[in-house]
């Protein structure tokens, strides 16, 4: 047994109230965490306590009987620690407004070793955390700020219930200044297409989420997120979002936009080793590889497979690029949607897809997204489970997917909308 495993076992026994035989000594465990493992941040993160809550065990209870359920049940008592296998996707948007300070804190407290700020820009070219440049009407209370809402690209238009015409509105960060952005409050993502008033439009939270934690919803600039993440001691993964306005914008080109993101981390004194920049644009990733190699060498090239209606994770001819081509262009990590990495074999078992096997063969690291994004998994689980839907019948099945991604696909990390679940799994499996 490794020293790390012994320390974790000792901590678990203490939590259960057992007398612990001091195999290493308290000082030995502390020294291991502070010195021998200092160069390995993943191991060092095991010393940061995490609170996973009751949801992981709710899912474990829902698993079919078998070895996976038995193993996960054995870890119920904890304790649990931060893990770099866990990336907090937009914070903790299963229950907290996305890209808010409160959501980020929840993600870190649930054990995410890396936090994400999706990066876009305001009218005055300041960088802010938002999943899409033009999602403000669905993720903030902008429509309650009359003076700011009137600047929206498409002001609110009420639904015409007689004709069936839905409500329409589009509000972009590029419509407003950073100062105006900071006046807004984050809310749970959603909208009511039948709304006849701006206030009613905001009332569209899916029933399987909650509005219990959206009372503050503190929005953040990229610089503010960098400072918070540094304070929390986590790695940072900014995603350069595709502009929804013509570039250049107010004199800023796409390359300047990509560079501005990196410059923000330099200015804050964040080491490149602590930053995992991401983009769906291969051109952005290649820019970082060429001009900022310390950052670019660990950039995540995101892939959703949807640029081709014929995309099939089992058919390489349907992919936009071969894995070898990506490797030749300097890409080190590919980050596809979960379903692209999976298929179902003749026995009805979830197994790695050809896409996953080819990525591994090419020597690419793999990061998957996004766990706990789909809500309840009845009837096949939706978009994120589309390649394995015949094997998805209930919520507990998501842990089967996670187990295959971790053990057979070999992903190095996974984005999660509720990090506590993946933290529970990662600790139990000693990832």
């Amino acid at each position: 047994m490794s020293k790390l495993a012994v320390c974790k076992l000792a901590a678990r026994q203490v939590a259960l109230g057992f007398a612990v035989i001091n195999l290493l000594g308290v000082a030995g465990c502390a020294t291991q965490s502070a010195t021998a493992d200092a160069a390995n941040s993943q191991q060092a993160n095991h010393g940061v306590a995490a609170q996973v809550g009751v949801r992981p065990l709710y899912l474990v209870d829902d698993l079919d009987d078998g070895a996976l359920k038995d193993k996960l049940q054995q870890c119920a008592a904890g304790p649990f620690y931060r893990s770099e296998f866990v990336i907090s996707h937009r914070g903790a948007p299963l229950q907290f407004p996305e890209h808010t300070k409160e959501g980020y804190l929840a993600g870190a407290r649930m054990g995410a070793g890396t936090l994400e700020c999706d990066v876009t820009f305001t009218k005055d070219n300041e960088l802010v955390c938002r999943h899409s440049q033009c999602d403000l009407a669905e993720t903030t209370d902008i429509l309650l700020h009359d003076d700011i809402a009137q600047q929206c690209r498409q002001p609110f238009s009420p639904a015409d219930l007689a004709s069936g015409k839905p409500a329409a509105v589009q509000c972009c960060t590029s419509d407003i200044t950073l100062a105006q952005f900071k006046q807004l409050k984050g809310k749970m993502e959603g909208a009511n297409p039948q709304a006849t008033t701006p206030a009613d439009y905001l009332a569209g939270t899916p029933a399987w989420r909650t509005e219990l934690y959206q009372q503050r919803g503190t929005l953040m600039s990229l610089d503010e997120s960098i400072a918070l993440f540094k304070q929390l001691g986590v790695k940072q993964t900014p995603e350069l979002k595709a502009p929804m306005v013509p570039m250049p914008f107010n004199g800023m080109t796409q390359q300047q936009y990509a560079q501005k993101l990196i410059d923000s981390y330099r200015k804050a004194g964040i080491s490149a080793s602590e930053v995992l920049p991401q983009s769906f644009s291969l051109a952005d990733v290649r820019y970082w590889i060429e001009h900022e190699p310390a950052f670019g060498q660990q950039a995540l090239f995101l892939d959703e497979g949807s640029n081709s209606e014929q995309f099939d994770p089992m058919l390489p001819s349907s992919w936009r690029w071969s894995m070898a081509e990506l490797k030749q262009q300097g890409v080190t990590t590919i980050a596809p949607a979960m379903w692209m990495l999976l298929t179902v074999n003749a026995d009805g078992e979830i197994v790695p897809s050809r896409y996953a096997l080819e990525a591994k063969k090419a020597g690419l690291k793999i990061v998957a997204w996004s766990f706990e994004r789909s809500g309840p998994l009845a009837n096949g689980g939706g978009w994120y489970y589309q390649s394995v839907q015949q094997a998805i019948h209930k919520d507990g099945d998501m842990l089967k997917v996670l187990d295959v991604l971790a053990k057979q696909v070999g992903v190095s990390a996974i984005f999660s909308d509720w990090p506590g679940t993946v933290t529970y799994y990662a600790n139990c499996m000693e990832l």
Side-chain angles (χ1 to χ4, degrees), residues 322-346:
S322 74
M323 301 301 173
E325 288 172 337
L326 292 176
K327 188 71 173 179
Q328 289 170 1
Q329 295 185 62
V331 174
T332 61
T333 306
I334 192 165
M338 294 191 304
W339 68 270
M340 298 166 62
L341 297 167
L342 304 169
T343 191
V344 176
N345 66 16

Side-chain angles (χ1 to χ4, degrees), residues 367-420:
V367 174
W369 50 271
S370 294
F371 199 71
E372 298 257 42
R373 186 72 190 157
S374 301
L377 298 192
N379 303 318
W383 190 85
Y384 286 91
Y385 298 86
Q386 60 187 282
S387 62
V388 294
Q389 59 182 340
Q390 62 265 49
I392 302 297
H393 307 290
K394 55 184 180 177
D395 289 353
D397 289 338
M398 70 175 68
L399 293 174
K400 295 181 181 179
V401 167
L402 181 58
D403 195 52
V404 174
L405 289 171
K407 294 181 179 177
Q408 298 184 46
V409 174
V411 299
S412 59
I414 187 166
F415 287 87
S416 177
D417 277 28
W418 197 246

Side-chain angles (χ1 to χ4, degrees), residues 6 104 109 133 150 340 381:
V6 170
Y104 289 143
R109 287 164 178 162
Q133 188 171 45
Q150 66 185 2
M340 298 166 62

Side-chain angles (χ1 to χ4, degrees), residues 110-151:
M110 284 190 282
T114 305
L115 298 186
E116 176 189 49
C117 168
D118 288 331
V119 180
T120 187
F121 52 83
T122 60
K123 186 176 182 179
D124 46 352
N125 287 3
E126 295 295 332
L127 302 184
V128 295
C129 299
R130 202 95 310 260
H131 177 67
S132 170
Q133 188 171 45
C134 295
D135 71 1
L136 293 180
E138 291 73 42
T139 63
T140 77
D141 66 348
I142 189 171
L143 297 184
L144 301 182
H145 299 257
D146 292 340
D147 56 332
I148 301 177
Q150 66 185 2
Q151 299 176 220

Side-chain angles (χ1 to χ4, degrees), residues 36-56:
D37 292 331
N40 188 324
S41 57
Q42 170 66 1
Q43 289 187 345
N45 272 333
H46 281 294
V48 179
Q51 303 175 39
V52 300
V54 299
R55 180 164 176 79

